[in-house]
Amino acid sequence: MQRRHFLLSTLALALGLSLPVAGRADDKPAVIRIGVASVGTGNRPVFGGSSVALANVKGVLEEEFKADGIKVEWNFFKGAGPAVNEAVANKLIDFAWQGDLPSLIGKAGGLKTRLLIADGTRGNAYLAVPADSTAKSIDDLKGRKVALFKGTNAQLVVAKVLDARGGLSERDFKSINMDGATTQAAIATKDIDAGWFGAEVYGLVDRGIARIVYTTKGQSPNLARQTHFLVTEDFEKKYPQITQRVVTALVKQAAWASDDKNREQVLQQWSKSGVPYSAWKLDYDGTPLRVRLSPLFDDYFVQHYRDALALSKKYKLVRGDVDIDTWLEPKYQRQALRDLKLEGYWPDNDAKGTPKK
């Protein structure tokens, strides 16, 4: 069985995660420790919106390493990306599913990580208000209480959205730092005037609690939320073959999930996170799974991270520097594509997110 930990505080993080395990004579780790910058509704150790999420629910990595006697440990962080950075800094995890901004912050701050695959790209952001609010647009919310989970990939998207509207910023609102679960509760009790959400917003809309006044859905790909799967440099250098097997297993899962004939199964699996099937269906409506679940480091993905770094510096969200080209490690995904005969399976996009001809 999977060994899963839900961590709510630094103390829990220090006590609940396995300490680094020295390599054995056969050069295999005793455990593979994966951090997830998300957690399901009601703190359930499940998430959605990515191929890694499916691998978690289906026990893909557990099956891959069962014969080797290697355990797979999943660690879910309510504190999202910033909490994952803390775990990496303390050498408490080996791999992580995380968003662009927190990973950039961590890398610029000295964390030694390598990006392995894209996973869950082009995510949508939604701004919602209580259902009976008189607000109908972003401008109507100036000077009012707006919740945002700071330090996550949502913060970077919001910064870009506001800047595009005549140079607005968080300072034009009473910006309140809240995690996703707290924001949902605060919208329901009307303790805030608005909040930024992901796909989970549709559950609130269906229940008559919230109303969407803005979304990046259907807009330019440069406004999308981006996530990926990374490895620590220590683990990769010590166990390159294990790293390859992890990536190959995830790419294989991504290929299955990217096939639209499996769409219903994918959305149903994600609904185990507590975000209802109907919400995932609406969020992904009109977008082929092969677009959003591509693991490729194509020109679009690479340019997005270059732009994300530049914009993060502009908005003073990141202060250090990151060499994007050396941070990305594409050799594992390339080998997986060759081994699985998946070269050409996903669209190869240009820097603007358009498939190359």
Side-chain angles (χ1 to χ4, degrees), residues 93-116:
I93 56 177
D94 308 306
F95 295 90
W97 181 85
Q98 193 180 29
D100 51 13
L101 177 59
S103 292
L104 282 166
I105 292 172
K107 187 67 174 178
L111 295 185
K112 297 185 181 301
T113 58
R114 305 295 298 279
L115 303 196
L116 295 172

Side-chain angles (χ1 to χ4, degrees), residues 62-141:
E62 288 78 0
E63 187 63 29
E64 170 68 25
F65 294 103
K66 183 178 180 180
D68 301 274
I70 300 174
K71 295 181 179 179
V72 178
E73 176 183 288
W74 294 85
N75 305 280
F76 295 81
F77 296 85
K78 184 179 181 182
V84 167
N85 282 344
E86 186 176 354
V88 172
N90 286 286
K91 300 184 182 299
L92 296 173
I93 56 177
D94 308 306
F95 295 90
W97 181 85
Q98 193 180 29
D100 51 13
L101 177 59
S103 292
L104 282 166
I105 292 172
K107 187 67 174 178
L111 295 185
K112 297 185 181 301
T113 58
R114 305 295 298 279
L115 303 196
L116 295 172
I117 58 171
D119 186 44
T121 63
R122 305 197 191 206
N124 302 312
Y126 303 87
L127 179 63
V129 299
D132 60 357
S133 170
T134 58
K136 297 181 180 180
S137 69
I138 291 177
D139 290 338
D140 291 340
L141 292 164

Side-chain angles (χ1 to χ4, degrees), residues 285-317:
D285 182 52
T287 306
L289 291 175
R290 198 168 297 199
V291 172
R292 289 186 60 177
L293 296 180
S294 169
L296 303 184
F297 288 163
D298 57 16
D299 291 348
Y300 166 68
F301 183 89
V302 176
Q303 189 60 48
H304 173 88
Y305 277 71
R306 288 173 179 159
D307 292 343
L309 176 62
L311 291 169
S312 296
K313 287 183 175 180
K314 174 183 176 180
Y315 304 138
K316 298 185 179 358
L317 301 175

Side-chain angles (χ1 to χ4, degrees), residues 1-304:
M1 288 182 65
Q2 294 179 359
R3 184 177 167 209
R4 293 168 170 160
H5 299 273
F6 173 65
L7 307 174
L8 295 174
S9 65
T10 301
L11 176 61
L13 184 144
L15 296 177
L17 286 140
S18 300
L19 293 173
V21 179
R24 297 183 291 184
D26 54 359
D27 202 29
K28 294 187 296 186
V31 60
I32 295 172
R33 304 164 303 165
I34 302 171
V36 177
S38 183
V39 68
T41 302
N43 301 336
R44 67 186 72 179
V46 187
F47 69 119
S50 74
S51 298
V52 174
L54 291 171
N56 164 248
V57 171
K58 296 166 70 175
V60 168
L61 295 179
E62 288 78 0
E63 187 63 29
E64 170 68 25
F65 294 103
K66 183 178 180 180
D68 301 274
I70 300 174
K71 295 181 179 179
V72 178
E73 176 183 288
W74 294 85
N75 305 280
F76 295 81
F77 296 85
K78 184 179 181 182
V84 167
N85 282 344
E86 186 176 354
V88 172
N90 286 286
K91 300 184 182 299
L92 296 173
I93 56 177
D94 308 306
F95 295 90
W97 181 85
Q98 193 180 29
D100 51 13
L101 177 59
S103 292
L104 282 166
I105 292 172
K107 187 67 174 178
L111 295 185
K112 297 185 181 301
T113 58
R114 305 295 298 279
L115 303 196
L116 295 172
I117 58 171
D119 186 44
T121 63
R122 305 197 191 206
N124 302 312
Y126 303 87
L127 179 63
V129 299
D132 60 357
S133 170
T134 58
K136 297 181 180 180
S137 69
I138 291 177
D139 290 338
D140 291 340
L141 292 164
K142 290 180 182 178
R144 300 171 74 175
K145 293 182 289 185
V146 179
L148 170 65
F149 201 169
K150 297 186 179 182
T152 69
N153 62 0
Q155 187 176 15
L156 181 56
V157 172
V158 171
K160 289 190 284 187
V161 167
L162 296 179
D163 189 40
R165 300 179 72 85
L168 293 176
S169 73
E170 289 181 35
R171 293 188 296 274
D172 292 296
F173 308 84
K174 292 180 181 177
S175 185
I176 303 172
N177 185 18
M178 283 187 180
D179 63 47
T182 305
T183 301
Q184 290 187 57
I187 278 283
T189 57
K190 302 179 184 179
D191 288 323
I192 55 175
D193 298 300
W196 288 93
F197 298 89
E200 71 277 4
V201 73
Y202 287 113
L204 299 174
V205 172
D206 287 346
R207 289 153 54 200
I209 294 173
R211 176 169 49 84
I212 298 169
V213 296
Y214 174 84
T215 177
T216 60
K217 182 176 171 64
Q219 298 197 49
S220 171
N222 76 334
L223 291 178
R225 301 172 69 170
Q226 304 285 357
T227 50
H228 55 255
F229 191 71
L230 61 77
V231 65
T232 64
E233 288 187 11
D234 286 347
F235 189 95
E236 185 215 352
K237 289 177 181 177
K238 194 168 187 178
Y239 306 114
Q241 293 182 340
I242 297 297
T243 300
Q244 182 64 67
R245 288 173 62 186
V246 169
V247 172
T248 300
L250 293 178
V251 169
K252 184 177 181 180
Q253 183 61 44
W256 178 85
S258 295
D259 190 336
D260 267 305
K261 73 179 183 182
N262 298 321
R263 193 181 190 93
E264 293 301 304
Q265 293 182 66
V266 169
L267 302 184
Q268 290 288 0
Q269 292 280 13
W270 286 347
S271 71
K272 293 178 181 180
S273 67
V275 176
Y277 163 84
S278 59
W280 291 116
K281 186 174 183 179
L282 287 168
D283 185 62
Y284 275 73
D285 182 52
T287 306
L289 291 175
R290 198 168 297 199
V291 172
R292 289 186 60 177
L293 296 180
S294 169
L296 303 184
F297 288 163
D298 57 16
D299 291 348
Y300 166 68
F301 183 89
V302 176
Q303 189 60 48
H304 173 88

Side-chain angles (χ1 to χ4, degrees), residues 329-349:
E329 179 46 271
K331 69 180 181 182
Y332 296 104
Q333 63 173 262
R334 289 172 180 166
Q335 186 63 50
L337 293 172
R338 287 192 292 268
D339 292 346
L340 297 170
K341 298 182 175 12
L342 288 171
E343 292 170 302
Y345 181 78
W346 286 279
D348 183 17
N349 297 299

